[in-house]
């Protein structure tokens, strides 16, 4: 089951990163410890987390869309969660090849007045539908946390890189969230209007899409008919759970696996 994030607001403009390198030694001023960092919060006490972040000079991103705008600008964006989740905010982190961090990371940064080693606070990837155990952390994680910044994987190394996807949802907000997450995973994205037809000259041919991703099954029933218009092949329509499965395993999975069928009949 795909979880929903707590209510967020995507109207705030993304702020500029000032490029300050966080201290690896106790900072003279507490408000410099997380200066230049932005955080997405999912399923944690928002007030407690926000107070910790702002007291150390960090900022809270209110939505996946805002975090994506910050990411495009080159800002450092981390996700704080309580445990493995399937919320879109959680998926934002996995799309970039990074595990979210527990609240204890912020608490320890404040206690030591410095950016601490995040590895003890990383949350294991969730359990994919086709497995019984949680997925190990990405092989590159240990080298990532040794850098001055907690940097995501390069775009070309992310799990959906080199492909073009279409997203379709009757909800504009859901479409924006899907687009942000899939782009963060390294892919190109075309947003299909629910009423769009395959004859639209402004959109790519269905054959150009790896698949059409719908927020849920209802979107498939109400969405575009473009996936079935191609005479050469049928472009699959899949639910967002397929993206979750790819991100949790950090690999491209099949549309139909041994235990689950992600495809939709439009």
């Amino acid at each position: 089951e795909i979880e929903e994030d707590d209510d967020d607001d995507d109207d705030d403009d993304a702020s500029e990163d000032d490029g300050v390198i966080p201290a690896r030694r106790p900072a003279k001023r507490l408000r410099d410890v997380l200066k230049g960092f932005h955080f997405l919060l999912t399923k944690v006490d928002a007030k407690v987390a926000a107070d910790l972040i702002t007291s150390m000079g960090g900022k809270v991103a209110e939505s996946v869309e805002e975090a994506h705008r910050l990411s495009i600008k080159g800002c450092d964006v981390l996700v704080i969660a309580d445990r493995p989740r399937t919320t879109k905010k959680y998926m934002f982190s996995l799309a970039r090849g990074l595990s979210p961090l527990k609240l204890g990371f912020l608490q320890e940064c404040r206690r030591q007045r410095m950016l601490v080693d995040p590895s003890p606070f990383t949350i294991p990837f969730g359990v994919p539908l086709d497995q019984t155990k949680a997925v190990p952390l990405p092989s590159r994680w240990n080298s990532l946390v040794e850098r001055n910044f907690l940097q995501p994987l390069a775009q070309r190394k992310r799990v959906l890189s080199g492909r073009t996807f279409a997203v379709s949802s009757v909800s504009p907000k859901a479409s924006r969230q899907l687009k942000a997450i899939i782009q963060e995973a390294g892919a190109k994205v075309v947003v299909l209007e629910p009423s769009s037809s395959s004859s639209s000259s402004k959109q790519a041919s269905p054959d150009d899409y790896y698949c059409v991703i719908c927020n849920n099954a209802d979107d498939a029933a109400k969405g575009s008919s473009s996936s079935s218009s191609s005479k050469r092949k049928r472009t699959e329509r899949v639910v967002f759970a397929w993206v979750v499965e790819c991100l949790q395993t950090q690999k491209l999975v099949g549309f139909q696996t041994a235990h689950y069928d992600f495809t939709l009949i439009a």
Side-chain angles (χ1 to χ4, degrees):
E1 181 181 354
I2 304 302
E3 300 171 291
E4 293 294 330
D5 282 299
D6 302 323
D7 291 339
D8 54 37
D9 180 7
D10 61 353
D11 293 333
D12 293 336
D13 290 333
S15 55
E16 295 285 353
D17 185 16
D18 51 20
V20 176
I21 297 178
R24 283 293 187 177
R25 61 188 66 181
K28 293 182 179 179
R29 299 183 302 179
L30 181 64
R31 63 178 180 271
D32 289 339
V33 174
L34 295 179
K35 195 170 184 180
F37 275 87
H38 300 76
F39 294 84
L40 268 179
L41 310 175
T42 182
K43 304 301 181 181
V44 295
D45 189 316
K47 185 178 186 308
V48 171
D51 286 347
L52 285 167
I53 291 166
T54 56
S55 71
M56 292 182 282
K59 297 181 180 179
V60 177
E62 299 297 337
S63 67
V64 167
E65 300 95 303
E66 181 185 354
H68 181 50
R69 292 194 295 267
L70 288 163
S71 174
I72 291 173
K73 292 182 177 182
C75 299
D76 294 289
V77 185
L78 300 176
V79 175
I80 303 294
D82 58 341
R83 60 179 177 81
R85 294 284 186 176
T86 56
T87 64
K88 290 185 173 66
K89 289 180 179 179
Y90 198 94
M91 291 301 115
F92 177 87
S93 188
L94 300 192
R96 308 170 80 227
L98 291 175
S99 292
L101 303 173
K102 297 176 183 177
L103 186 64
F105 170 73
L106 300 174
Q107 295 167 331
E108 190 64 13
C109 285
R110 183 180 173 93
R111 187 183 73 82
Q112 295 193 34
R113 299 176 68 92
M114 62 182 286
L115 187 70
V116 300
D117 177 5
S119 55
F121 306 99
T122 56
I123 301 174
F125 283 22
V127 179
L129 293 169
D130 273 2
Q131 298 188 27
T132 58
K133 296 181 180 180
V135 177
L137 296 175
S139 59
R140 298 181 182 86
W141 179 249
N142 287 335
S143 63
L144 289 173
V145 299
E146 292 170 357
R147 301 178 183 179
N148 286 333
F149 287 98
L150 298 175
Q151 294 287 356
L153 293 176
Q155 284 275 346
R156 68 182 183 280
K157 296 181 179 180
R158 298 184 192 180
V159 66
L160 300 182
S161 65
R163 294 172 174 82
T164 299
F165 296 86
V167 299
S168 176
S169 176
V170 295
S171 164
K173 179 178 180 180
S175 289
R176 292 194 300 269
Q177 291 176 332
L178 292 177
K179 180 180 179 181
I181 292 170
I182 296 166
Q183 285 183 331
E184 287 293 339
K188 296 180 180 179
V189 180
V190 175
V191 177
L192 300 178
E193 297 297 330
S195 59
S196 67
S197 67
S198 61
S199 61
S200 173
S201 60
K202 295 182 179 180
Q203 294 177 336
S205 163
D207 291 334
D208 295 331
Y209 309 142
Y210 187 80
C211 66
V212 178
I213 299 170
C214 301
N215 192 48
N216 50 46
D218 290 340
D219 284 337
K222 301 173 184 177
S224 167
S225 61
S226 61
S227 65
S228 59
S229 61
S230 173
K231 295 181 179 179
R232 287 179 291 168
K233 67 177 181 178
R234 179 181 182 273
T235 301
E236 293 287 1
R237 299 173 69 83
V238 299
V239 288
F240 181 66
W242 178 79
V243 177
V244 173
E245 189 83 347
C246 291
L247 298 182
Q248 288 186 144
T249 58
Q250 289 292 288
K251 64 180 181 181
L252 208 63
V253 301
F255 298 134
Q256 295 174 309
T257 63
H259 304 288
Y260 201 84
D261 187 350
F262 297 100
T263 60
L264 295 163
I265 299 176

